[in-house]
Every structure is written in C-alpha cells, then in structure tokens.
Amino acid sequence: MNFWTDTTSTVIAGILLIAVPIAFNAAFAALAAKFDYPNILRKPTAEVLAKFSAGGSALVLLWWGFAMTAALLTPLAILVSASLQGAAPAILFAAGAVGVVASVVQFLGLIRWPFLVPYLARESAKSDTTPASREAIDIVFQSFNRYLGVAVGEHLGFLFTGTWTALVGVAILQSSNVNGWVGVAGIIIGIALALCSLEFVGHFETKGWRPAAVATPFVYIVWSLWLVGTGVALLL
C-alpha cells in the first residue's frame, strides 16, 4: 500500500515551512547572544577566533545546527513544488531546482564554521604560534569569510533564495490550494531578497551597498514570516 499521497506532501511541506524559519531564527538569535554574530565579523580575526574558542563545543554544535537549517531548505523546496496544485509544471520544476541550489549554497557558506574555524581558532590560541603563522591564519580566515561567507552564502544564497521565493509566488498565483495574496507577497519579497544579494557586487565590493545592508535583516524577517504564513495556508 502506498501511504505517500499528495495530502502527505502538502502536510509535510506545510510543517517544514513553519518549522524551518523558526529553527533558523532561533539559531541565529542564539548565535547573536552567545557569539555576538554577525557584529563579531567586523572585529579583527584574532578577536573573532578567541571568542569562538571561548564558546567551546556548544558554540561549534550551534553553528552545525544553523547549517542544518539551511540544508532543510532542500526537502522544503521539493515538497512545496509537489504541493501546489494546478500550477504550471515548468514553474514548479524551476522553483524546486532553484530552491535546492539556494539550500546548497547557504549550507556551504555556513558549514565552514563547525569544521574549518575550530581548527583556525586552535592554531591561533597556541602559545608558540609565530607571527608569520598568525598572519597566515588571518589570511585564510578572511579569505574563506569573503569566499564562502560573502560570495557563496550571502550573495548566491540571497540571489537563489529570492529567486525561489518569487517562483513559488508565481506558482501560488496559478495554484488552487493557496490564496493569491500569498503569491503576490512571495514575488515582492523574493525580488527584494534578490536585490539584497547585490550588497558586495561591483564597486560595492569593498564597503558594501548601504541600502542592501540596512534592508537585509528586515527582508529576512519578512521572508521568515512569509514562509510561516505559506505553511499555514497549505495546512488549512
């Protein structure tokens, strides 16, 4: 007997749409309280790594959990596409594919923290670490921060997450089981999130684009609320 039905997909998608943003924001809030994230990233490398070491294994596990919330976007994106009845198959396929890419790039941006950063922190904390080694640690940390953090996790993460959100919004407008206003909101929020991905692009690379820096936290909060609202709409 096949227990996997369209109703099952819809229920699981609805639950994930509610649970994932709650888990993401809870982990983010915990990192802000325990590690002063993301403000800590503006500090010198030695200070960041010292604070990271002080956090112990609990902080490492917290970062691992935060990365896992990004990984959960993969099944969420697939199940949402499977749950929107009546939408064009091409739109649903594109949304699912882009959602998986968004999940992967966000995961890759975050996973450095529970695996690479602990090693750099241990090396930095050694009493016999030479000035040349500390300089190398600084270069490695800042390079990975800019490549995996800014370029992959933030730029590509915001771009693909925003694109996925807008595509889901279009699919919702075509679907028969979610109110159209949820789709309109998704399109607007998705475009805003994609624009936030331009914060460090082009001549903004050195100091960033101020409007995007200011808007991003608020857009992510609204995006999280939209996910929850979409989940509730699917369950109802």
Side-chain angles (χ1 to χ4, degrees), residues 98-189:
V98 171
V100 170
V101 174
S103 173
V104 170
V105 295
Q106 288 193 50
F107 175 80
L108 291 176
L110 292 171
I111 202 63
R112 75 191 190 277
W113 284 98
F115 291 99
L116 171 66
V117 178
Y119 168 75
L120 296 176
R122 286 193 299 270
E123 291 299 307
S124 180
K126 289 181 178 178
S127 59
D128 59 348
T129 300
T130 64
S133 295
R134 294 189 187 282
E135 183 177 354
I137 290 169
D138 176 57
I139 291 173
V140 170
F141 177 82
Q142 293 297 337
S143 296
F144 272 90
N145 185 51
R146 283 160 175 75
Y147 175 60
L148 285 179
V150 176
V152 176
E154 294 182 12
H155 173 62
L156 294 181
F158 294 171
L159 180 61
F160 282 103
T161 301
T163 303
W164 171 75
T165 304
L167 286 170
V168 170
V170 172
I172 288 174
L173 288 177
Q174 299 175 345
S175 72
S176 59
N177 57 332
V178 179
N179 194 293
W181 70 265
V182 179
V184 173
I187 294 171
I188 296 171
I189 295 167

Side-chain angles (χ1 to χ4, degrees), residues 2-216:
N2 183 13
F3 292 99
W4 192 269
T5 64
D6 290 341
T7 301
T8 305
S9 299
T10 301
V11 169
I12 297 176
I15 292 172
L16 285 175
L17 281 165
I18 296 169
V20 169
I22 291 174
F24 172 86
N25 284 285
F28 189 94
L31 284 170
K34 188 176 181 64
F35 190 53
D36 193 27
Y37 179 78
N39 296 329
I40 188 68
L41 298 180
R42 299 184 181 90
K43 305 293 184 180
T45 298
E47 186 175 338
V48 177
L49 295 179
K51 193 170 183 64
F52 188 92
S53 293
S57 59
L59 181 59
V60 175
L61 287 173
L62 182 55
W63 273 109
W64 178 84
F66 193 35
M68 291 303 108
T69 65
L72 285 174
L73 184 58
T74 289
L76 186 157
I78 294 170
L79 289 169
V80 166
S81 287
S83 302
L84 295 175
Q85 302 166 8
I91 295 294
L92 294 174
F93 178 81
V98 171
V100 170
V101 174
S103 173
V104 170
V105 295
Q106 288 193 50
F107 175 80
L108 291 176
L110 292 171
I111 202 63
R112 75 191 190 277
W113 284 98
F115 291 99
L116 171 66
V117 178
Y119 168 75
L120 296 176
R122 286 193 299 270
E123 291 299 307
S124 180
K126 289 181 178 178
S127 59
D128 59 348
T129 300
T130 64
S133 295
R134 294 189 187 282
E135 183 177 354
I137 290 169
D138 176 57
I139 291 173
V140 170
F141 177 82
Q142 293 297 337
S143 296
F144 272 90
N145 185 51
R146 283 160 175 75
Y147 175 60
L148 285 179
V150 176
V152 176
E154 294 182 12
H155 173 62
L156 294 181
F158 294 171
L159 180 61
F160 282 103
T161 301
T163 303
W164 171 75
T165 304
L167 286 170
V168 170
V170 172
I172 288 174
L173 288 177
Q174 299 175 345
S175 72
S176 59
N177 57 332
V178 179
N179 194 293
W181 70 265
V182 179
V184 173
I187 294 171
I188 296 171
I189 295 167
I191 292 172
L193 196 54
L195 288 174
C196 289
S197 73
L198 302 177
E199 182 179 355
F200 292 100
V201 172
H203 68 275
F204 299 120
E205 183 269 330
T206 53
K207 296 182 179 179
W209 184 28
R210 179 66 178 169
V214 172
T216 297

